Amino acid sequence: MKPAPVAYARPTSLTEALELLAGTPDAKVLAGGQSLVPLLNMRLAAPTLLVDINRLPGLDHVMAAPDGVHVGALARHSAVLADAAARRTQPLLADALSHVAHATIRNRGTTVGSIVHADAAAEMPAVLAVLDGHVEVASVRGRRRIEARDLVVGPLQSSLEHDEVALEACFPALDARAGTAFTEISRRQGDYALCGVAAVVMLDEDGAVASARCGYLAVHETPAVVDLPALVGARGPLGDDVVTAASDLALGVLDVEGDIHGTAAYRRHLVRVLTARALRTAYDDAATRTTTRTTAPTPTTGGTA
Ligand SMILES: Cc1cc2nc3c(=O)[nH]c(=O)nc-3n(C[C@H](O)[C@H](O)[C@H](O)COP(=O)(O)OP(=O)(O)OC[C@H]3O[C@@H](n4cnc5c(N)ncnc54)[C@H](O)[C@@H]3O)c2cc1C
């Protein structure tokens, strides 16, 4: 199918883009087009105006800062994935990005576009949510910050107003005592997941779990985050009783439904298997990082000139 007739604008300044969006209530922002263009082609979306943001300056950054990784609206998935400083600052981001689609789609699709597209089966909204990240948005009324927990309000529905452009997403940095893991099951590599789990485990000074949480994709109508107090105080290797208590807790929160790709029972089974896998890996990751830090030789200063 072909899209319905649509006007196209390619502004070169943010002000111009925001004015165009404010002046046309059913206008749509076009970023990488990897989700929007299929929707146009299938006529599941029929805006009267596309505002292509690809020529806006200063939005393609991937910046690793002490507070986290700042990803501009025009940074492609592939650029974020390839950024070594971003990987060091928050390894969960790159771990999850390697599961997003295929290389060709990652070369064009944007990480911010994926977040505001708000697909419950997508990796980035769940990762931003489990990390308590946020998005900066702009409109003709000014700028505001939307916390990840307030961002996705329904299936494919974000809390952005129709005339707002997301400028940047911020993924908080990995805490010194934390470890992370990402795992998912999809029918073929690069497909959307049948179930995916992102885990963050924090250890206390004695190496026991201080806090644990998992973010879930493709098993709830929105990306879901579940805090797991059942793990607090546990030590590795995490036993079956501990990870089973954690997945019981998650299944009590998630509203797992079946579809043509997998029954609800199968998806619940995946929640159990992947929750255990992700938590054990995140625990080991935290333990390894903490050990490496405490046993690393202290850098010496001075030396020969
Ligand atoms: C075959 C295929 C497989 C895929 N597999 C996966 C997968 O496994 N996992 C996954 O997560 N994704 C997958 N994707 C989607 C891909 O990750 C897209 O890149 C992403 O969902 C949207 O990013 P985009 O830049 O292409 O956004 P676009 O398609 O341009 O836009 C998507 C939506 O977000 C809005 N939008 C985009 N940017 C902004 C902005 N800065 N401000 C305000 N609104 C904005 C648009 O108006 C539109 O409503 C797949 C896509 C394809 C075609």
Side-chain angles (χ1 to χ4, degrees):
M1 278 172 75
K2 294 267 187 281
V6 56
Y8 172 80
R10 195 162 55 180
T12 52
S13 76
L14 181 61
T15 307
E16 194 190 340
L18 297 179
E19 279 166 4
L20 283 164
L21 287 166
T24 314
D26 69 343
K28 273 271 175 205
V29 170
L30 175 69
Q34 299 303 297
S35 295
L36 182 55
V37 171
L39 289 176
L40 297 176
N41 286 344
M42 289 183 279
R43 300 205 176 191
L44 293 170
T48 53
L49 172 65
L50 288 179
V51 178
D52 183 340
I53 60 170
N54 284 280
R55 293 240 172 131
L56 301 190
L59 289 180
D60 62 352
H61 55 279
V62 181
M63 190 183 73
D67 66 332
V69 181
H70 297 255
V71 177
L74 292 175
R76 313 293 162 179
H77 294 307
S78 53
V80 187
L81 184 54
D83 195 289
R87 185 183 287 264
R88 275 195 304 276
T89 303
Q90 183 42 265
L92 184 58
L93 180 54
D95 280 353
L97 270 171
S98 65
H99 293 269
V100 173
H102 312 276
T104 35
I105 289 154
R106 292 197 296 264
N107 283 343
R108 189 71 198 157
T110 64
T111 298
V112 169
S114 175
I115 288 166
V116 297
H117 187 54
D119 190 334
E123 288 80 3
M124 288 301 102
V127 166
L128 193 76
V130 79
L131 294 173
D132 275 337
H134 67 269
V135 171
E136 300 281 344
V137 305
S139 70
V140 288
R141 296 174 299 287
R143 297 189 179 206
R144 68 181 177 121
R145 165 176 166 152
I146 307 177
E147 303 300 329
R149 62 178 163 277
D150 302 322
L151 187 68
V152 183
V153 293
L156 297 177
Q157 253 186 300
S158 82
S159 55
L160 264 72
E161 300 291 337
H162 78 89
D163 61 347
E164 284 181 317
V165 173
L167 301 178
E168 178 182 279
C170 177
F171 297 84
L174 184 68
D175 189 278
R177 296 202 162 276
T180 62
F182 186 88
T183 180
E184 70 173 43
I185 298 281
S186 56
R187 284 187 177 272
R188 296 166 305 186
Q189 216 228 321
D191 280 4
Y192 280 101
L194 293 168
C195 172
V197 182
V200 182
V201 171
M202 186 96 76
L203 302 186
D204 64 21
E205 291 190 350
D206 298 326
V209 175
S211 68
R213 63 184 351 201
C214 284
Y216 291 88
L217 48 130
V219 284
H220 193 77
E221 66 169 13
T222 53
V225 175
V226 184
D227 284 308
L228 302 166
L231 252 74
V232 173
R235 289 172 189 281
L238 298 180
D240 288 346
D241 53 335
V242 176
V243 293
T244 302
S247 53
D248 282 346
L249 223 159
L251 284 168
V253 173
L254 300 170
D255 186 13
V256 184
E257 287 193 357
D259 61 17
I260 54 165
H261 305 293
T263 63
Y266 177 56
R267 283 198 154 107
R268 277 196 291 273
H269 171 69
L270 292 182
V271 168
R272 287 195 178 283
V273 173
L274 298 185
T275 298
R277 204 176 280 172
L279 286 172
R280 285 182 169 134
T281 309
Y283 178 92
D284 292 346
D285 184 44
T288 309
R289 286 175 195 283
T290 313
T291 314
T292 311
R293 255 192 314 276
T294 50
T295 57
T298 316
T300 51
T301 52
T304 50

